[in-house]
Amino acid sequence: MDYMIRFMQIHESFRQPETEALATLAGIPLEWVFYSHDSPFAIVRFPSTTDPATAARTLITRSILASAIYELWGTGLDYPSLHQDVRQRSAPYWPLHSQHSFRFEIDSFQGSHTSSQHTAIIESFAYMAFSGPIRMKNPSAQFVVFEDFLLDAPLPHQLHLGRLVASGNRKATLNKYTLKKRRYIATTSMDSELALVTANLALAAPGKLAYDPFMGTGSFPLACAHFGAGVFGSDLDGRSVRGKGGRDVRSNFTQYATSPLYLGGFVADLTNTPLRSSRCLDAIVCDPPYGVREGLKVLGSHKPELQAEVFLEDGRLAHLAETYLPPKKAYSFLRMLGDVLEFGTGALVEGGRLCMWMPVAGATAEEEPKGVGGKERRGGGGEGGQEGGAGKEEEYAIPHHPALELVSECTQHFNKWSRRLLTYRRLANSCIDENEMLAYQAARLILQGENGVGTADDLNSFRRKYFRGFLDPSMPRQHEKLPHTY
Amino acid sequence: MKLLTLNFLTCARKTCKSTAAAFPLHPKDAELEQIEIDMNPLFVKNMLPRLEWEAMKTLTQELGLPALPAETPAPEELTTEDGEASQVLKDLHVLLMETSVASGKLVCGNCGHEYAVKEGIANFLLPSHMV
């Protein structure tokens, strides 16, 4: 039997990858019979599964972007063809439900009916001869007629009849995790719906370990812990980890009763990470700073006087003082993405996943001499940000690493810009192309140069060498500016 | 920060990372905290092979906690014959999941740099001359 997934008509490009991730996690073979970004109704099959109903139920429980899954009892372009298909496909199943309490409803996408039309549609299925009681609350069998209308069309162009197998927990989960009710958030907290979808794509699950190197207020670790994974995180900005007045990352875990899964947070820089070199993470989930508002920073300084120990007036070492704040220097966004991929390669177990957000387009200041263009300055602070003189924006290529396979690429569109969620899978060492890896490592070494500091000019070759050109012609190119919140 | 997490952390300096002396970090003036939580046998079982057991032993010794078995416990040691949590698992749970460093310092055995831990949060930021 085929199954119908009732998706939400939002974040369309995330829907299939989420469902596929959940199938991978549960080891369910999944085949798409019908899927379209323009429809909330998708049809799937579970080939060579002995218990497809259980597979369907498992698939939907964790889904954030699908609300329910149904047995597909029929499909058609209009009501006569639907009825014909229902007779063909589902007649053998009618007697199974003939005595059960049941209910019929209509789910119209972009369409509506008067109540008399509604009743007439439901009564047109009378030939199925269900003699059990009609019960609106908790019936044994729940049937839904799905109507798919094109916008403003008078008649639906696609119809389905389904019997409910299982509903997901989307509503309750979103209601619980909404940022509106979260005790501790910041301007850049990831919206809870997409954080949970990200955790699904990362295959977060009980017994697994996930890490967020740009934790902020903990949106991703919280989402991964919701699905049972042990989590920890870090951030370059200690203030975000520590919080204030009892509102901190830990208090968020307490709020959602997942603090047993929170292994701790610390203050650290990804380019100087304290994580030991060992492949012990099942997932890395992150939304690296886009470097617009503050300019992207890493530890270090270009000032010559800071390259040796600095003493305070009283003779003590400056960096040992209680109030010491380490200097930070500007860093390239694209180089940092490369660092995240390299870090992921070294830290993920085989099959482990890296989920990383990035803007689709942005300034490429390093491609132009500073100050050229004279367009509006981006970034409020103006303090040392490398975005300073940028005027030009272009679509970023999708970062590539020989040890990581791109699993999915999802785009979230905003009014004036968009961003991507990239999901990678750590390949087995035996599956990595050796020559490609050698070339990649060599290129990285050259880039790092002395003291691991590359100049802005290096970034051109960085782009050429590390990023595989990628322009999907079907995707509208975004040339808009990032909002000031990032 | 839970003791489990400490087992994944070493000195943040690039020059130290490759040296054996930098790991594990040594607690100094450490104040421990123990919070009782529900057991998570699957998680502990999955983490065991990822732990550096020698470092775990060093840490418990330096913190004055009960000694650990000589080798990483095998998965079958975590349950009793009736499928219940064994004493080994219970002890590991207390050590790895319930015990955390609330404050103090973590010292690198190679360069001697001290990382401060305050309110359970360690600070691994480095001054410019150490980057």
Side-chain angles (χ1 to χ4, degrees):
Chain A
M1 180 168 328
D2 289 351
Y3 288 81
M4 204 209 76
I5 298 178
R6 173 54 159 105
F7 279 115
M8 307 318 293
Q9 196 58 31
I10 39 161
H11 305 311
E12 290 84 354
S13 66
F14 293 71
R15 303 187 302 184
Q16 266 185 309
E18 190 202 33
T19 305
E20 281 165 5
L22 294 175
T24 304
L25 184 64
I28 299 168
L30 174 75
E31 190 185 309
W32 296 93
V33 180
F34 169 79
Y35 177 86
S36 162
H37 278 342
D38 300 325
S39 170
F41 313 122
I43 299 171
V44 296
R45 203 169 278 166
F46 306 109
S48 60
T49 310
T50 45
D51 187 0
T54 304
R57 204 167 282 124
T58 311
L59 199 63
I60 212 71
T61 24
R62 275 182 55 163
S63 182
I64 295 299
L65 297 177
S67 61
I69 191 159
Y70 300 81
E71 286 176 355
L72 185 70
W73 278 36
T75 182
L77 300 175
D78 50 24
Y79 274 99
S81 68
L82 173 65
H83 286 304
Q84 195 187 356
D85 194 50
V86 166
R87 285 193 165 90
Q88 247 174 31
R89 278 183 197 244
S90 64
Y93 304 107
W94 299 350
L96 294 178
H97 301 282
S98 65
Q99 305 302 318
H100 288 164
S101 62
F102 70 100
R103 112 177 228 194
F104 256 81
E105 60 186 287
I106 300 178
D107 180 350
S108 300
F109 174 66
Q110 298 184 148
S112 63
H113 292 294
T114 63
S115 69
S116 58
Q117 284 170 327
H118 198 101
T119 316
I121 289 171
I122 290 173
E123 280 175 355
S124 70
F125 289 90
Y127 56 87
M128 289 158 77
F130 292 149
S131 51
I134 295 170
R135 202 169 286 159
M136 298 314 278
K137 260 193 177 172
N138 303 321
S140 322
Q142 203 167 322
F143 298 90
V144 184
V145 184
F146 298 96
E147 297 185 319
D148 199 346
F149 288 76
L150 292 173
L151 198 59
D152 300 327
L155 289 171
H157 66 284
Q158 187 73 53
L159 299 159
H160 309 285
L161 175 70
R163 185 182 76 86
L164 181 71
V165 178
S167 297
N169 294 301
R170 171 190 154 79
K171 248 191 180 163
T173 311
L174 292 186
N175 193 30
K176 180 175 174 185
Y177 279 89
T178 174
L179 291 181
K180 289 177 189 163
K181 296 190 210 162
R182 190 170 300 171
R183 272 183 61 80
Y184 175 56
I185 58 171
T187 48
T188 52
S189 294
M190 174 64 65
D191 101 68
S192 55
E193 182 171 18
L194 288 172
L196 288 157
V197 171
T198 308
N200 270 337
L201 283 167
L203 310 182
K208 293 200 182 187
L209 181 61
Y211 170 62
D212 181 351
F214 306 97
M215 175 164 71
T217 57
S219 302
F220 292 119
L222 284 168
C224 292
H226 170 71
F227 293 120
V231 295
F232 67 114
S234 63
D235 204 289
L236 181 60
D237 185 354
R239 291 169 301 181
S240 72
V241 184
R242 281 189 288 269
K244 215 176 191 181
R247 290 172 186 260
D248 52 20
V249 175
R250 175 167 297 280
S251 71
N252 279 341
F253 282 92
T254 309
Q255 180 183 349
Y256 298 122
T258 49
S259 37
L261 294 167
Y262 181 49
L263 306 177
F266 50 90
V267 187
D269 174 17
L270 184 77
T271 56
N272 293 280
T273 178
L275 250 74
R276 67 175 158 92
S277 320
S278 105
R279 294 175 52 193
C280 52
L281 301 176
D282 294 291
I284 297 168
V285 273
C286 62
D287 184 17
Y290 307 156
V292 172
R293 178 175 249 189
E294 293 185 33
L296 194 59
K297 296 283 167 67
V298 293
L299 285 178
S301 169
H302 295 302
K303 291 182 185 160
E305 67 270 24
L306 293 181
Q307 303 313 314
E309 290 180 336
V310 177
F311 291 90
L312 297 174
E313 277 182 2
D314 59 6
R316 287 182 304 141
L317 278 167
H319 68 270
L320 297 182
E322 277 281 296
T323 51
Y324 177 73
L325 278 176
K328 291 166 188 133
K329 61 185 176 189
Y331 200 59
S332 152
F333 173 67
L334 296 173
R335 264 192 74 177
M336 188 190 53
L337 295 186
D339 290 346
V340 174
L341 262 57
E342 180 68 12
F343 171 74
T345 300
L348 287 171
V349 299
E350 189 181 317
R353 287 196 169 189
L354 165 65
C355 290
M356 175 173 81
W357 285 84
M358 65 179 278
V360 166
T364 53
E366 57 272 21
E367 301 242 304
E368 288 180 34
K370 295 244 172 189
V372 166
K375 290 188 189 171
E376 186 195 331
R377 256 178 92 96
R378 290 148 39 81
E383 174 223 334
Q386 77 279 19
E387 261 87 359
K392 191 179 151 198
E393 291 201 1
E394 64 175 51
E395 187 162 323
Y396 292 128
I398 290 183
H400 167 73
H401 192 290
L404 298 169
E405 176 191 55
L406 187 68
V407 178
S408 64
E409 180 223 325
C410 312
T411 311
Q412 179 190 19
H413 296 284
F414 291 97
N415 196 16
K416 292 188 166 179
W417 66 296
S418 45
R419 61 179 172 186
R420 284 195 178 110
L421 170 58
L422 302 174
T423 302
Y424 300 86
R425 189 173 69 90
R426 174 65 160 90
L427 294 170
N429 282 341
S430 56
C431 298
I432 301 169
D433 185 315
E434 260 178 60
N435 292 329
E436 204 188 335
M437 192 67 169
L438 283 174
Y440 181 88
Q441 299 295 9
R444 252 188 91 81
L445 275 179
I446 294 167
L447 258 188
Q448 282 172 354
E450 278 178 37
N451 300 327
V453 179
T455 65
D457 286 345
D458 289 334
L459 297 166
N460 284 326
S461 68
F462 176 75
R463 286 172 65 83
R464 278 197 302 276
K465 282 175 180 147
Y466 294 154
F467 291 76
R468 181 180 279 171
F470 188 97
L471 282 177
D472 182 351
S474 69
M475 258 196 346
R477 287 194 53 159
Q478 302 290 320
H479 293 280
E480 304 292 345
K481 289 184 178 3
L482 298 166
H484 290 291
T485 42
Y486 282 90
Chain B
M1 163 152 44
K2 293 188 197 292
L3 294 194
L4 172 71
T5 319
L6 263 189
N7 196 266
F8 294 123
L9 301 175
T10 178
C11 184
R13 294 179 74 172
K14 289 196 174 88
T15 43
C16 285
K17 269 196 125 175
S18 49
T19 65
F23 180 78
L25 296 169
H26 305 285
K28 186 179 156 191
D29 308 329
E31 217 168 284
L32 295 186
E33 184 179 29
Q34 197 186 335
I35 299 169
E36 216 169 290
I37 55 170
D38 286 342
M39 199 121 65
N40 192 339
L42 175 65
F43 187 70
V44 171
K45 188 181 126 216
N46 285 355
M47 290 310 114
L48 274 186
R50 303 182 195 184
L51 294 180
E52 283 287 348
W53 195 249
E54 287 305 315
M56 215 58 239
K57 289 197 308 201
T58 311
L59 183 69
T60 49
Q61 203 183 349
E62 289 176 4
L63 290 172
L65 297 170
L68 285 172
E71 303 286 331
T72 311
E76 55 273 16
E77 291 176 60
L78 301 180
T79 44
T80 61
E81 281 171 14
D82 333 320
E84 298 285 311
S86 69
Q87 195 56 44
V88 176
L89 175 61
K90 286 178 189 163
D91 291 346
L92 282 171
H93 171 73
V94 172
L95 178 75
L96 300 173
M97 306 296 288
E98 292 190 340
T99 313
S100 55
V101 177
S103 68
K105 296 204 161 83
L106 298 168
V107 186
C108 171
N110 191 53
C111 70
H113 188 66
E114 297 183 348
Y115 298 99
V117 184
K118 275 186 229 158
E119 291 169 37
I121 297 165
N123 186 339
F124 286 97
L125 299 188
L126 295 167
S128 186
H129 67 275
M130 291 189 178
V131 171

PDB file of all heavy atoms in Angstrom, chain A residues 290 358-361 412-419 478 480-483 485-486:
ATOM      1  N   TYR A 290      27.240  35.337  10.647  1.00  0.00           N
ATOM      2  CA  TYR A 290      27.433  35.743   9.259  1.00  0.00           C
ATOM      3  C   TYR A 290      28.362  36.946   9.152  1.00  0.00           C
ATOM      4  O   TYR A 290      28.727  37.352   8.064  1.00  0.00           O
ATOM      5  CB  TYR A 290      26.088  36.068   8.598  1.00  0.00           C
ATOM      6  CG  TYR A 290      25.070  34.963   8.737  1.00  0.00           C
ATOM      7  CD1 TYR A 290      23.718  35.230   8.665  1.00  0.00           C
ATOM      8  CD2 TYR A 290      25.461  33.649   8.942  1.00  0.00           C
ATOM      9  CE1 TYR A 290      22.781  34.227   8.788  1.00  0.00           C
ATOM     10  CE2 TYR A 290      24.529  32.644   9.083  1.00  0.00           C
ATOM     11  CZ  TYR A 290      23.183  32.926   9.012  1.00  0.00           C
ATOM     12  OH  TYR A 290      22.265  31.929   9.145  1.00  0.00           O
ATOM     13  N   MET A 358      24.052  28.871   6.380  1.00  0.00           N
ATOM     14  CA  MET A 358      24.822  29.986   5.810  1.00  0.00           C
ATOM     15  C   MET A 358      23.913  30.809   4.914  1.00  0.00           C
ATOM     16  O   MET A 358      22.937  30.299   4.367  1.00  0.00           O
ATOM     17  CB  MET A 358      26.013  29.464   5.013  1.00  0.00           C
ATOM     18  CG  MET A 358      25.645  28.659   3.772  1.00  0.00           C
ATOM     19  SD  MET A 358      27.087  28.089   2.839  1.00  0.00           S
ATOM     20  CE  MET A 358      27.466  29.561   1.899  1.00  0.00           C
ATOM     21  N   PRO A 359      24.226  32.098   4.767  1.00  0.00           N
ATOM     22  CA  PRO A 359      23.401  32.899   3.868  1.00  0.00           C
ATOM     23  C   PRO A 359      23.641  32.475   2.424  1.00  0.00           C
ATOM     24  O   PRO A 359      24.731  32.012   2.087  1.00  0.00           O
ATOM     25  CB  PRO A 359      23.871  34.324   4.110  1.00  0.00           C
ATOM     26  CG  PRO A 359      25.168  34.214   4.805  1.00  0.00           C
ATOM     27  CD  PRO A 359      25.278  32.864   5.413  1.00  0.00           C
ATOM     28  N   VAL A 360      22.625  32.582   1.598  1.00  0.00           N
ATOM     29  CA  VAL A 360      22.770  32.206   0.190  1.00  0.00           C
ATOM     30  C   VAL A 360      23.690  33.190  -0.527  1.00  0.00           C
ATOM     31  O   VAL A 360      24.530  32.809  -1.319  1.00  0.00           O
ATOM     32  CB  VAL A 360      21.389  32.158  -0.501  1.00  0.00           C
ATOM     33  CG1 VAL A 360      21.531  32.102  -2.011  1.00  0.00           C
ATOM     34  CG2 VAL A 360      20.608  30.964   0.001  1.00  0.00           C
ATOM     35  N   ALA A 361      23.538  34.452  -0.195  1.00  0.00           N
ATOM     36  CA  ALA A 361      24.372  35.459  -0.835  1.00  0.00           C
ATOM     37  C   ALA A 361      24.885  36.423   0.202  1.00  0.00           C
ATOM     38  O   ALA A 361      24.333  36.552   1.291  1.00  0.00           O
ATOM     39  CB  ALA A 361      23.571  36.215  -1.887  1.00  0.00           C
ATOM     40  N   GLN A 412      15.830  28.676   3.074  1.00  0.00           N
ATOM     41  CA  GLN A 412      14.764  29.428   3.738  1.00  0.00           C
ATOM     42  C   GLN A 412      14.739  30.822   3.139  1.00  0.00           C
ATOM     43  O   GLN A 412      15.737  31.536   3.182  1.00  0.00           O
ATOM     44  CB  GLN A 412      15.034  29.521   5.244  1.00  0.00           C
ATOM     45  CG  GLN A 412      13.967  30.312   5.978  1.00  0.00           C
ATOM     46  CD  GLN A 412      14.362  30.606   7.428  1.00  0.00           C
ATOM     47  OE1 GLN A 412      15.522  30.533   7.799  1.00  0.00           O
ATOM     48  NE2 GLN A 412      13.367  30.938   8.247  1.00  0.00           N
ATOM     49  N   HIS A 413      13.617  31.195   2.556  1.00  0.00           N
ATOM     50  CA  HIS A 413      13.504  32.508   1.928  1.00  0.00           C
ATOM     51  C   HIS A 413      12.898  33.510   2.884  1.00  0.00           C
ATOM     52  O   HIS A 413      11.889  33.236   3.524  1.00  0.00           O
ATOM     53  CB  HIS A 413      12.631  32.431   0.667  1.00  0.00           C
ATOM     54  CG  HIS A 413      13.235  31.575  -0.396  1.00  0.00           C
ATOM     55  ND1 HIS A 413      14.284  31.995  -1.172  1.00  0.00           N
ATOM     56  CD2 HIS A 413      12.970  30.309  -0.785  1.00  0.00           C
ATOM     57  CE1 HIS A 413      14.633  31.028  -2.001  1.00  0.00           C
ATOM     58  NE2 HIS A 413      13.850  29.989  -1.780  1.00  0.00           N
ATOM     59  N   PHE A 414      13.536  34.660   2.976  1.00  0.00           N
ATOM     60  CA  PHE A 414      12.951  35.775   3.711  1.00  0.00           C
ATOM     61  C   PHE A 414      12.482  36.779   2.690  1.00  0.00           C
ATOM     62  O   PHE A 414      12.611  36.576   1.491  1.00  0.00           O
ATOM     63  CB  PHE A 414      13.993  36.390   4.649  1.00  0.00           C
ATOM     64  CG  PHE A 414      14.375  35.508   5.781  1.00  0.00           C
ATOM     65  CD1 PHE A 414      15.508  34.720   5.707  1.00  0.00           C
ATOM     66  CD2 PHE A 414      13.600  35.448   6.923  1.00  0.00           C
ATOM     67  CE1 PHE A 414      15.866  33.891   6.745  1.00  0.00           C
ATOM     68  CE2 PHE A 414      13.953  34.620   7.967  1.00  0.00           C
ATOM     69  CZ  PHE A 414      15.082  33.841   7.878  1.00  0.00           C
ATOM     70  N   ASN A 415      11.990  37.862   3.185  1.00  0.00           N
ATOM     71  CA  ASN A 415      11.512  38.883   2.276  1.00  0.00           C
ATOM     72  C   ASN A 415      12.616  39.368   1.341  1.00  0.00           C
ATOM     73  O   ASN A 415      12.454  39.428   0.131  1.00  0.00           O
ATOM     74  CB  ASN A 415      10.955  40.034   3.121  1.00  0.00           C
ATOM     75  CG  ASN A 415      10.108  40.953   2.300  1.00  0.00           C
ATOM     76  OD1 ASN A 415       9.697  40.580   1.209  1.00  0.00           O
ATOM     77  ND2 ASN A 415       9.861  42.131   2.807  1.00  0.00           N
ATOM     78  N   LYS A 416      13.774  39.681   1.906  1.00  0.00           N
ATOM     79  CA  LYS A 416      14.813  40.298   1.091  1.00  0.00           C
ATOM     80  C   LYS A 416      16.080  39.491   0.974  1.00  0.00           C
ATOM     81  O   LYS A 416      17.036  39.921   0.331  1.00  0.00           O
ATOM     82  CB  LYS A 416      15.156  41.670   1.677  1.00  0.00           C
ATOM     83  CG  LYS A 416      14.014  42.650   1.534  1.00  0.00           C
ATOM     84  CD  LYS A 416      14.463  44.026   1.937  1.00  0.00           C
ATOM     85  CE  LYS A 416      13.446  45.052   1.469  1.00  0.00           C
ATOM     86  NZ  LYS A 416      13.836  46.396   1.864  1.00  0.00           N
ATOM     87  N   TRP A 417      16.142  38.351   1.614  1.00  0.00           N
ATOM     88  CA  TRP A 417      17.351  37.535   1.512  1.00  0.00           C
ATOM     89  C   TRP A 417      16.977  36.100   1.785  1.00  0.00           C
ATOM     90  O   TRP A 417      15.818  35.786   2.062  1.00  0.00           O
ATOM     91  CB  TRP A 417      18.417  38.023   2.501  1.00  0.00           C
ATOM     92  CG  TRP A 417      18.042  37.832   3.938  1.00  0.00           C
ATOM     93  CD1 TRP A 417      17.004  38.435   4.598  1.00  0.00           C
ATOM     94  CD2 TRP A 417      18.672  36.974   4.888  1.00  0.00           C
ATOM     95  NE1 TRP A 417      16.963  38.009   5.901  1.00  0.00           N
ATOM     96  CE2 TRP A 417      17.977  37.128   6.107  1.00  0.00           C
ATOM     97  CE3 TRP A 417      19.764  36.104   4.840  1.00  0.00           C
ATOM     98  CZ2 TRP A 417      18.337  36.429   7.266  1.00  0.00           C
ATOM     99  CZ3 TRP A 417      20.123  35.420   6.003  1.00  0.00           C
ATOM    100  CH2 TRP A 417      19.400  35.580   7.193  1.00  0.00           C
ATOM    101  N   SER A 418      17.920  35.226   1.712  1.00  0.00           N
ATOM    102  CA  SER A 418      17.634  33.844   2.050  1.00  0.00           C
ATOM    103  C   SER A 418      18.889  33.187   2.604  1.00  0.00           C
ATOM    104  O   SER A 418      19.994  33.681   2.431  1.00  0.00           O
ATOM    105  CB  SER A 418      17.116  33.090   0.837  1.00  0.00           C
ATOM    106  OG  SER A 418      17.883  33.387  -0.285  1.00  0.00           O
ATOM    107  N   ARG A 419      18.671  32.072   3.284  1.00  0.00           N
ATOM    108  CA  ARG A 419      19.819  31.335   3.817  1.00  0.00           C
ATOM    109  C   ARG A 419      19.603  29.859   3.605  1.00  0.00           C
ATOM    110  O   ARG A 419      18.479  29.400   3.372  1.00  0.00           O
ATOM    111  CB  ARG A 419      20.029  31.667   5.292  1.00  0.00           C
ATOM    112  CG  ARG A 419      18.855  31.299   6.175  1.00  0.00           C
ATOM    113  CD  ARG A 419      19.161  31.648   7.608  1.00  0.00           C
ATOM    114  NE  ARG A 419      17.986  31.485   8.449  1.00  0.00           N
ATOM    115  CZ  ARG A 419      17.946  31.826   9.725  1.00  0.00           C
ATOM    116  NH1 ARG A 419      19.003  32.349  10.302  1.00  0.00           N
ATOM    117  NH2 ARG A 419      16.854  31.640  10.435  1.00  0.00           N
ATOM    118  N   GLN A 478      19.640  35.610  -5.198  1.00  0.00           N
ATOM    119  CA  GLN A 478      19.328  36.616  -4.200  1.00  0.00           C
ATOM    120  C   GLN A 478      20.430  37.668  -4.178  1.00  0.00           C
ATOM    121  O   GLN A 478      21.593  37.346  -4.054  1.00  0.00           O
ATOM    122  CB  GLN A 478      19.228  35.961  -2.817  1.00  0.00           C
ATOM    123  CG  GLN A 478      18.189  34.870  -2.754  1.00  0.00           C
ATOM    124  CD  GLN A 478      16.788  35.410  -2.834  1.00  0.00           C
ATOM    125  OE1 GLN A 478      16.464  36.433  -2.256  1.00  0.00           O
ATOM    126  NE2 GLN A 478      15.935  34.724  -3.581  1.00  0.00           N
ATOM    127  N   GLU A 480      19.847  40.518  -2.293  1.00  0.00           N
ATOM    128  CA  GLU A 480      19.442  41.459  -1.262  1.00  0.00           C
ATOM    129  C   GLU A 480      20.415  41.444  -0.102  1.00  0.00           C
ATOM    130  O   GLU A 480      21.200  40.540   0.079  1.00  0.00           O
ATOM    131  CB  GLU A 480      18.032  41.101  -0.782  1.00  0.00           C
ATOM    132  CG  GLU A 480      17.002  41.055  -1.886  1.00  0.00           C
ATOM    133  CD  GLU A 480      16.711  42.417  -2.470  1.00  0.00           C
ATOM    134  OE1 GLU A 480      17.097  43.421  -1.844  1.00  0.00           O
ATOM    135  OE2 GLU A 480      16.127  42.486  -3.562  1.00  0.00           O
ATOM    136  N   LYS A 481      20.291  42.443   0.692  1.00  0.00           N
ATOM    137  CA  LYS A 481      21.179  42.556   1.848  1.00  0.00           C
ATOM    138  C   LYS A 481      20.689  41.685   3.000  1.00  0.00           C
ATOM    139  O   LYS A 481      19.523  41.377   3.106  1.00  0.00           O
ATOM    140  CB  LYS A 481      21.203  44.008   2.314  1.00  0.00           C
ATOM    141  CG  LYS A 481      21.939  44.899   1.353  1.00  0.00           C
ATOM    142  CD  LYS A 481      22.006  46.282   1.931  1.00  0.00           C
ATOM    143  CE  LYS A 481      22.754  47.261   1.083  1.00  0.00           C
ATOM    144  NZ  LYS A 481      23.269  46.843  -0.168  1.00  0.00           N
ATOM    145  N   LEU A 482      21.625  41.351   3.860  1.00  0.00           N
ATOM    146  CA  LEU A 482      21.255  40.628   5.066  1.00  0.00           C
ATOM    147  C   LEU A 482      20.638  41.624   6.032  1.00  0.00           C
ATOM    148  O   LEU A 482      20.965  42.801   5.999  1.00  0.00           O
ATOM    149  CB  LEU A 482      22.510  40.033   5.706  1.00  0.00           C
ATOM    150  CG  LEU A 482      23.247  39.020   4.853  1.00  0.00           C
ATOM    151  CD1 LEU A 482      24.620  38.769   5.425  1.00  0.00           C
ATOM    152  CD2 LEU A 482      22.477  37.728   4.809  1.00  0.00           C
ATOM    153  N   PRO A 483      19.761  41.146   6.888  1.00  0.00           N
ATOM    154  CA  PRO A 483      19.213  42.078   7.862  1.00  0.00           C
ATOM    155  C   PRO A 483      20.283  42.392   8.899  1.00  0.00           C
ATOM    156  O   PRO A 483      21.281  41.691   8.992  1.00  0.00           O
ATOM    157  CB  PRO A 483      18.078  41.280   8.485  1.00  0.00           C
ATOM    158  CG  PRO A 483      18.548  39.881   8.396  1.00  0.00           C
ATOM    159  CD  PRO A 483      19.335  39.789   7.122  1.00  0.00           C
ATOM    160  N   THR A 485      20.275  41.974  11.946  1.00  0.00           N
ATOM    161  CA  THR A 485      20.334  41.147  13.153  1.00  0.00           C
ATOM    162  C   THR A 485      21.471  40.148  13.100  1.00  0.00           C
ATOM    163  O   THR A 485      21.784  39.529  14.091  1.00  0.00           O
ATOM    164  CB  THR A 485      19.019  40.366  13.348  1.00  0.00           C
ATOM    165  OG1 THR A 485      18.618  39.866  12.093  1.00  0.00           O
ATOM    166  CG2 THR A 485      17.966  41.244  13.947  1.00  0.00           C
ATOM    167  N   TYR A 486      22.095  39.955  11.925  1.00  0.00           N
ATOM    168  CA  TYR A 486      23.177  38.969  11.887  1.00  0.00           C
ATOM    169  C   TYR A 486      24.537  39.615  11.733  1.00  0.00           C
ATOM    170  O   TYR A 486      24.668  40.653  11.159  1.00  0.00           O
ATOM    171  CB  TYR A 486      22.934  37.964  10.755  1.00  0.00           C
ATOM    172  CG  TYR A 486      21.906  36.963  11.175  1.00  0.00           C
ATOM    173  CD1 TYR A 486      20.557  37.168  10.944  1.00  0.00           C
ATOM    174  CD2 TYR A 486      22.288  35.849  11.921  1.00  0.00           C
ATOM    175  CE1 TYR A 486      19.618  36.277  11.386  1.00  0.00           C
ATOM    176  CE2 TYR A 486      21.363  34.955  12.372  1.00  0.00           C
ATOM    177  CZ  TYR A 486      20.016  35.166  12.096  1.00  0.00           C
ATOM    178  OH  TYR A 486      19.091  34.265  12.554  1.00  0.00           O
TER     179      TYR A 486
END
